[in-house]
Amino acid sequence: MRILVTGASGRIGGATAARLALRHQVTGIDRRPGPLTAEIVDVRDTGRIAPLLADLDAIVHTASLHVPDLAASSVGEFRAVNVDATRRLLAAAGEAGVARFVYTSSTSLYGDAMLPAAGEAAWVTEDLAPRPRDVYDETKLAAEEACLDAARQGLACTSLRMSRCSESHG
């Protein structure tokens, strides 16, 4: 398979690209260099990304602003990167005939729903409704909704709500 990984220089994107590269042809993009980043491009620049989508089988979209970016990035930047760029990438994927789109979301979007009630643990099931508490959570949820819209239009989309990631020390 031919797969594009956005955010390929980041922790999740880099690990994903490395694993996929064991069995597939992977093109990584990011705004900063990395071992599997073939193109230095901001995910907001769909015009530069669109030519890379020709003959792709799948896109794994990991590029986004994250919680540590809250202090240095505006609400507008979060929306531009996490939501607007995702919508444009989904549209470009559909136009290019990409068969699959995988979006890396976050369990963080559950926000205040994760607060235990009456000292009891909060269980995450399909019934737990997200209750975002910041712009990161809000934009991850909005990007999931964009994926759902694209799926309704025929693009096979999957949103993965990942838990927190940390570097391994072993």
Side-chain angles (χ1 to χ4, degrees):
M1 287 179 61
R2 294 191 60 223
I3 303 169
L4 176 77
V5 177
T6 70
S9 298
R11 185 175 299 149
I12 296 168
T16 300
R19 181 66 180 191
L20 289 171
L22 296 174
R23 300 180 81 186
H24 304 285
Q25 183 181 346
V26 174
T27 301
I29 65 169
D30 203 306
R31 62 184 182 175
R32 54 192 174 92
L36 293 171
T37 299
E39 297 283 333
I40 304 300
V41 60
D42 191 303
V43 72
R44 294 173 284 190
D45 192 351
T46 313
R48 286 195 48 216
I49 296 170
L52 302 173
L53 305 184
D55 301 320
L56 277 184
D57 298 297
I59 296 172
V60 179
H61 181 39
T62 72
S64 70
L65 291 178
H66 300 279
V67 170
D69 299 309
L70 286 170
S73 301
S74 69
V75 168
E77 288 174 298
F78 265 85
R79 293 197 195 292
V81 172
N82 294 4
V83 182
D84 300 339
T86 299
R87 284 191 189 283
R88 286 194 309 277
L89 188 57
L90 285 160
E95 290 170 14
V98 176
R100 296 176 189 96
F101 192 98
V102 178
Y103 175 67
T104 55
S105 188
S106 172
T107 57
S108 179
L109 58 79
Y110 288 111
D112 288 334
M114 295 295 294
L115 298 175
E120 297 178 13
W123 291 97
V124 177
T125 68
E126 294 295 321
D127 297 325
L128 184 64
R131 290 180 39 211
R133 62 181 146 206
D134 58 36
V135 68
Y136 172 70
D137 299 348
E138 292 167 3
T139 58
K140 287 304 231 179
L141 187 57
E144 281 189 13
E145 291 167 1
C147 290
L148 184 57
D149 291 343
R152 288 183 181 126
Q153 295 174 16
L155 180 60
C157 288
T158 301
S159 291
L160 301 175
R161 287 186 180 166
M162 300 178 64
S163 188
R164 289 173 178 68
C165 299
S166 63
E167 294 186 47
S168 67
H169 300 285

